[in-house]
Amino acid sequence: MKGYTPENLRQADEMTMRALGIPGVALMEKAADALFDAIKPQLRRDSKIVILCGKGNNGGDGWALGMKLANLYYNVVCVPLFGDSASYDAMYYFVKCRECENMGYPMRILDACDRRLDAFGEIKTATVIVDGIFGTGFSGEIDRGTLAADVIELANSVTCFKVAADIPSGVDALTGRCAAYTFRADITVSFAKIKVGMLSYPARNLCGNITVADIGIPEQIFDSIETKYEIADTEAVRKYLPARHPESNKGTFGRLLVYAGSPEMTGAAHLALSGALRTGVGLTVFAGDLHVTSVLQHRLSEPVYLPVSDTDEDTDKLVEYSKKCSVMLIGCGLGTSDEVKKRVIRLVKECECPIILDADGINVLSDNINVITEAKKGILLTPHPVEFSRVSGLTLENICDNRIECTAEFSKKYGCNILLKGAGTIICSADGRICINPIACSALAKGGSGDVLAGMIASFAAQGVGLYESAVIGAYLHGCAGEELAREYSEYGVMPSDIPEHVARMLARK
């Protein structure tokens, strides 16, 4: 499905108000209703709800909730972190809350800028804390020592139920980056749509359970908004996966050439081949040294085997063979010797089919990554963060804190497709599209899982699916398989070799 940015949501708000005449305060009221529904199961008559309100529309959602709760005679404390300053629509509900306070409703508004200790005391005794400080327009840092930083730090330390209005304060809704002081929610009530940054890590860890609330923006408005972002789901699988007609033959579904494995890592090659064979490729050809091919021939009968040595003549043979192939997968357990490096560089430059580089296929290019710009038919890299750090020159910390941004910039710089593995896998296309796979499953955090994924992606690409689209399908099915297998074996007990057959069963259900 389409993924939406903060700017997309701002556009949708404006279009709704302009085209349908729905005022901003009406959208805030809907947001307040959704927040109330989220906290209602936690409420008792003696509950204290502390609402942290910023000066923008996110604070307005908090003020609207405060008014609703006060009218229902719940004990509400609103903490305006920036004094009485508020956006135009937010001011409407701020004034309403003042009226509730003056009329004797159980509503208290703290002048938090002058009474910091009073605010801290209310937070420490809260039953529910609602975060409405910063909204989806936030980026950057929250300065240490500011009231916002201190309040967020204290709220995170209190044992009570915590809800974020639209997005936890401190999260960048576009990139998924989190400020040093970021609200940690039990539930995030995302208004209208999930924002793409919320599904990427580290933000996803701080959102808790995410619920999406309808606040009255018609779906037709979102359909009309252009976005380069996508969220992987079953809809994407159905859209991108090719149909299989009864009159088909093996040639219909492509020829995959796999160059992988080494005497120390025959298992990586086996797992990659298994991932490919279970996901529909017509013909799989395995190229590897004589030891690896002899081992694999006793384990898998389906591939065609093409033993190759380290000679230039055999490299010529692989280049020539690539002319008959739909795609070539290079990497999985290949090793990083000088001979391998020399061959991979030649294959990238000279092969006459699209290329997928995984694992050691990426590692050997760490000091020569510009070569990927010379690929003739398109290229996809599938690194994990450490491998990505080697080829990009970025620190691991920077990559993990800015997964979307780092991946997209690399893809743009080198004109390549790239899949950054890990929880919340990011996939970027050479033409600028970005997909977030929302699945995170520790059952897949095992050596060999990535080899299976590479084989799956290569299989879909061989069947005529684009490199980016193949990565989207592969990452989503791989993640779903991990989740389903974990329910059977536990996240401890799933083995990468369990994945290919389970994916095949999943495809039977599509």
Side-chain angles (χ1 to χ4, degrees), residues 138-143 152 169-172 176-183 202 206:
F138 175 86
S139 64
E141 283 293 337
I142 300 171
D143 292 337
I152 288 172
S169 291
V171 169
D172 187 319
R177 187 181 178 277
C178 295
Y181 297 95
T182 297
F183 188 83
L206 301 178

Side-chain angles (χ1 to χ4, degrees), residues 373-420:
T373 63
E374 300 182 50
K376 294 182 177 182
K377 301 290 186 179
I379 194 164
L380 167 69
L381 280 67
T382 59
H384 57 57
V386 174
E387 292 163 349
F388 187 44
S389 178
R390 291 182 188 130
V391 295
S392 67
L394 301 171
T395 66
L396 189 60
E397 180 182 18
N398 188 14
I399 292 166
C400 292
D401 285 347
N402 303 277
R403 288 172 58 82
I404 297 175
E405 187 176 12
C406 291
T407 312
E409 287 181 359
F410 185 92
S411 178
K412 181 179 179 181
K413 180 178 180 179
Y414 293 101
C416 67
N417 302 280
I418 182 167
L419 178 151
L420 179 61

Side-chain angles (χ1 to χ4, degrees), residues 160-222:
C160 69
F161 189 69
K162 304 182 187 78
V163 181
D166 208 15
I167 193 166
S169 291
V171 169
D172 187 319
L174 179 61
T175 67
R177 187 181 178 277
C178 295
Y181 297 95
T182 297
F183 188 83
R184 183 178 291 274
D186 295 304
I187 289 181
T188 296
V189 181
S190 186
F191 304 138
K193 298 289 182 182
I194 293 177
K195 293 74 188 171
V196 290
M198 296 167 63
L199 295 175
S200 185
Y201 287 77
R204 185 66 188 84
N205 277 331
L206 301 178
C207 290
N209 293 324
I210 299 174
T211 64
V212 180
D214 179 6
I215 60 169
I217 300 176
E219 196 62 35
Q220 300 94 301
I221 285 180
F222 285 108

